[in-house]
Amino acid sequence: RNSDDVTVVAAVFDRNGNYVEGKQQLLKLRLRGETLAGLEQRPPETLKSTFNLSPGTYLVRLVVRSAEGGALTTTSGSVEIP
């Protein structure tokens, strides 16, 4: 089996850059060789997190880290809660 633990952290910041809330999830991958070879043809995995936020504009930052290779990637986006 091909094993890796992928840590996903989502953090929410208000319009002033103050930390509001965050969540961490662990995705444990234990894939057979055939499954790993066919991953590019499958839709991506989806992880869901729910935050209770007041109306306003927020910055959401997502950080993903692979335990096996130590690879790290981040992305950020603005979200408007009506």
Side-chain angles (χ1 to χ4, degrees), residues 3-78:
S3 300
D4 197 0
D5 292 338
V6 178
T7 303
V8 180
V9 177
V12 178
F13 300 88
D14 67 14
R15 66 175 44 212
N16 297 318
N18 298 312
Y19 173 81
V20 176
E21 189 176 352
K23 295 188 180 179
Q24 178 175 313
Q25 294 178 295
L26 180 64
L27 179 61
K28 292 180 174 262
L29 300 174
R30 307 294 182 260
L31 305 174
R32 293 177 293 165
E34 311 84 57
T35 305
L36 184 62
L39 276 182
E40 291 185 13
Q41 287 75 30
R42 296 179 58 191
E45 288 293 321
T46 302
L47 297 175
K48 294 183 181 183
S49 292
T50 302
F51 298 94
N52 294 318
L53 301 171
S54 301
T57 302
Y58 297 91
L59 174 73
V60 178
R61 170 152 272 199
L62 188 66
V63 179
V64 181
R65 182 178 161 277
S66 166
E68 181 66 27
L72 181 74
T73 189
T74 66
T75 189
S76 298
S78 181

